[in-house]
Amino acid sequence: MLLSPFEWMIAKRYMLPGRGEAFIALVAGISLVAVSLGVAALVIVMSVMNGFRAELFDKIVGLNGHAIIQAYGGRLDNWQTVLQEVRKTPGVTRASPLIEQPLLATFNGRVEAILARGNTPEDIQRLQPQLKAGSLAPLRPGADQVAIGSRLAQNLGVQVGDTITIINPQGRSTPFGTVPRQIAYQVASIFEIGVYDYDQAFVVMPIPDAQTLLLTGDTIGMIEVTTVDPDKVGEIMAPLTRRLAGQAIVQDWRTINASLFEALAVERVAMFVVLSIIVLVAVFNILSSLIMLVRAKTRDIAILRTMGATRRSLMKIFVTAGFLIGAMGTLAGVLLGFVFLFFRQPIVRGVEILTGQNLWDPSIRFLTELPSRTDPVEVTVICVLALVLSFLATLYPASRAAGTDPVQVLRYE
């Protein structure tokens, strides 16, 4: 719907405040600000929700793989054979033996619940990007060296080089009863994965050391599997599920973290619907400002009609005037949303300083920082939604302006 120079000139004049029309201009300005705030809120919230899900997925799956093969009873005896079968399965890119057991750790009178994790040397080296202090090189079988999470180190008051004691309640039997097994390990490194629960509990060591600590012999507890496509992990692992029935259970990342990711999906949809109402309210402001503009310009509209302006021209003029408010508000909202996302961490810290409240508690939010990941498709959908609603809001006032009868208006002029 292209405008002629005449129509464009009239539309621009109607968009600018005229004498005695400051209130109409104020309402139009409020409409523009409301649209921009609604669009910005949608962009910010959807980007944060996407970032939250993506960060959780990357960190959880990056540490635990796409699927876990866990033996019944916690011990997989013929794990070498099973491991070879898993690695030969089409679609599997990596499979590693793994030991995981909840235990206790002590240091200088402090006691913390931990998750002792036995990994292969290759898997231990995957912690290198998350390393905060120390080195992973000393983590060799028989060296009694471990890497621990940053929150656990903080809770125990441990630094690199200190020695912690790990307690296994299932110790050796003696005439006086079962004596818990206690082994001292030197902290070789401290890592921070970014997931609070992991950083608070994980103690990583080589598999042979974990087997010695847990008195399991040459057995493991589970096999960690990574596939070519995490969304198709169920199809890829289906043959192994049937083959290992009765011996081990196969769980993928959806099953292990089902409640968390389902809650995120529901919350994401709910937030989109609720925040879309803000844009809808802003669009009603555009509607009201155009209705007032049409009433204020009734005499001008009648004169334009007598000078030869068609109903179609008047429709185009008022639709353009209202639509441009929505378009400018949408553009401003997208820019405002991107600026907020870029400075999100300083903004969160600033609000925390002003309010004295901890807005982002890692123990509740799982992640240590406010995440963000913008989806261009979602931003496009938000922009299209705002523009379509803005266009629809202009149709009624524009049709009223186009339906003005110049004879009735100018009868007494």
Side-chain angles (χ1 to χ4, degrees):
M1 186 172 63
L2 299 177
L3 274 69
S4 65
F6 159 73
E7 294 165 348
W8 179 242
M9 178 190 69
I10 299 299
K12 286 193 297 183
R13 293 192 60 180
Y14 282 178
M15 288 181 62
L16 299 175
R19 185 177 302 174
E21 299 168 357
F23 183 72
I24 298 176
L26 176 63
V27 174
I30 292 174
S31 304
L32 190 149
V33 172
V35 171
S36 64
L37 290 178
V39 171
L42 270 172
V43 171
I44 293 169
V45 170
M46 298 308 294
S47 296
V48 169
M49 294 297 294
N50 287 338
F52 196 83
R53 184 186 185 279
E55 286 293 319
L56 274 179
F57 178 83
D58 290 344
K59 293 180 184 299
I60 292 175
V61 173
L63 191 66
N64 291 329
H66 297 158
I68 293 291
I69 300 174
Q70 189 165 13
Y72 289 111
R75 293 191 180 186
L76 191 62
D77 296 321
N78 59 335
W79 62 271
Q80 292 92 344
T81 304
V82 176
L83 183 63
Q84 292 300 321
E85 291 183 6
V86 174
R87 288 174 174 170
K88 293 177 182 177
T89 302
V92 173
T93 58
R94 186 180 64 85
S96 299
L98 175 66
I99 295 175
E100 231 176 49
Q101 183 70 32
L103 299 174
L104 294 175
T106 66
F107 178 75
N108 282 348
R110 297 184 182 182
V111 180
E112 290 289 334
I114 66 167
L115 198 62
R117 186 181 177 95
N119 282 121
T120 62
E122 295 78 12
D123 290 334
I124 291 175
Q125 289 303 315
R126 290 169 58 202
L127 290 173
Q128 188 66 42
Q130 286 82 35
L131 209 60
K132 289 193 65 178
S135 171
L136 296 174
L139 270 70
R140 298 184 302 273
D144 290 339
Q145 302 272 344
V146 295
I148 69 173
S150 58
R151 297 283 174 177
L152 178 60
Q154 181 179 346
N155 293 340
L156 288 174
V158 171
Q159 297 180 348
V160 173
D162 290 337
T163 300
I164 63 173
T165 301
I166 297 181
I167 303 173
N168 178 13
Q170 296 179 349
R172 296 184 181 276
S173 298
T174 69
F176 301 99
T178 302
V179 177
R181 185 173 178 79
Q182 301 184 35
I183 299 181
Y185 294 93
Q186 187 177 28
V187 177
S189 55
I190 298 174
F191 59 85
E192 183 172 301
I193 297 169
V195 179
Y196 183 85
D197 289 352
Y198 293 170
D199 294 333
Q200 183 184 237
F202 273 4
V203 174
V204 177
M205 63 183 69
I207 283 183
D209 289 0
Q211 291 171 336
T212 302
L213 172 65
L214 299 173
L215 301 174
T216 58
D218 188 21
T219 63
I220 63 169
M222 60 190 74
I223 295 176
E224 175 187 281
V225 183
T226 303
T227 61
V228 292
D229 188 351
D231 293 325
K232 296 181 179 179
V233 64
E235 302 174 16
I236 296 172
M237 299 301 293
L240 286 172
T241 303
R242 292 190 296 268
R243 194 178 310 161
L244 297 175
Q247 182 181 3
I249 183 172
V250 179
Q251 293 180 306
D252 60 32
W253 63 271
R254 290 191 188 91
T255 306
I256 298 172
N257 307 282
S259 58
L260 176 61
F261 285 103
E262 286 177 6
L264 286 176
V266 173
E267 185 177 358
R268 185 168 171 269
V269 174
M271 293 299 292
F272 182 84
V273 173
V274 171
L275 292 176
S276 296
I277 297 176
I278 299 177
V279 179
L280 185 61
V281 172
V283 164
F284 278 117
N285 287 335
I286 297 177
L287 174 64
S288 60
S289 65
L290 282 180
I291 290 176
M292 288 189 292
L293 181 62
V294 170
R295 290 183 64 86
K297 298 293 185 180
T298 300
R299 184 171 180 273
D300 294 354
I301 294 170
I303 293 174
L304 289 173
R305 287 295 309 279
T306 59
M307 293 176 63
T310 63
R311 294 177 183 269
R312 180 181 177 85
S313 293
L314 291 173
M315 280 283 294
K316 291 164 66 176
I317 289 170
F318 283 93
V319 167
T320 300
F323 182 77
L324 285 178
I325 295 175
M328 290 187 292
T330 301
L331 179 60
V334 172
L335 294 177
L336 178 63
F338 286 161
V339 169
F340 183 95
L341 292 172
F342 185 78
F343 295 103
R344 62 187 183 278
Q345 284 303 131
I347 291 174
V348 170
R349 285 193 290 269
V351 174
E352 288 178 343
I353 293 173
L354 291 176
T355 62
Q357 300 294 324
N358 186 4
L359 300 181
W360 193 261
D361 187 353
S363 63
I364 299 175
R365 310 293 183 182
F366 293 101
L367 302 179
T368 55
E369 291 186 351
L370 179 66
S372 171
R373 183 169 297 187
T374 303
D375 185 354
V377 175
E378 283 189 349
V379 174
T380 302
V381 170
I382 292 170
C383 293
V384 170
L385 173 66
L387 293 176
V388 169
L389 291 177
S390 300
F391 174 76
L392 294 176
T394 64
L395 295 180
Y396 174 72
S399 63
R400 289 293 301 271
T404 300
D405 186 357
V407 175
Q408 295 293 331
V409 176
L410 301 177
R411 175 181 296 177
Y412 301 106
E413 295 292 331

